[in-house]
Amino acid sequence: MQLYQLQQVHSFRIIEVDIDSNPQLIEQYGSLVPVVTCEDKQICHYFLDQAAILQLLENNQ
């Protein structure tokens, strides 16, 4: 929910992935769900790190 609120202020695309449907993703992220990544780089897991996401958005402008 918080990620969608950030999306209303900043322009970025959210792609939701069902990790349970992919054995490779289960092995990579299984215990870290939920996880936020950008271009295969892990930004945060367990909880949304809004500061880390905002920093990433500012650096990519």
Side-chain angles (χ1 to χ4, degrees), residues 3 8 10-12 14 16 18 20-21 24 28 32 34 38 40-42 44 47 51 54 58-60:
L3 196 55
Q8 292 177 358
H10 303 277
S11 178
F12 63 92
I14 297 172
E16 291 186 40
D18 179 9
D20 292 331
S21 67
Q24 180 183 358
Q28 186 174 2
L32 301 176
C38 180
D40 295 328
K41 179 182 176 192
Q42 185 176 314
C44 55
F47 301 100
L54 289 173
E58 290 174 5
N59 290 341
N60 287 334

Side-chain angles (χ1 to χ4, degrees):
M1 185 61 126
Q2 292 174 332
L3 196 55
Y4 288 103
Q5 291 171 341
L6 282 174
Q7 186 185 39
Q8 292 177 358
V9 178
H10 303 277
S11 178
F12 63 92
R13 186 171 57 159
I14 297 172
I15 301 172
E16 291 186 40
V17 176
D18 179 9
I19 289 174
D20 292 331
S21 67
N22 184 318
Q24 180 183 358
L25 293 176
I26 291 172
E27 185 161 331
Q28 186 174 2
Y29 298 115
S31 65
L32 301 176
V33 174
V35 63
V36 175
T37 64
C38 180
E39 299 177 357
D40 295 328
K41 179 182 176 192
Q42 185 176 314
I43 308 305
C44 55
H45 60 273
Y46 302 131
F47 301 100
L48 185 71
D49 184 345
Q50 187 170 340
I53 292 172
L54 289 173
Q55 182 177 13
L56 175 72
L57 291 169
E58 290 174 5
N59 290 341
N60 287 334
Q61 286 184 358

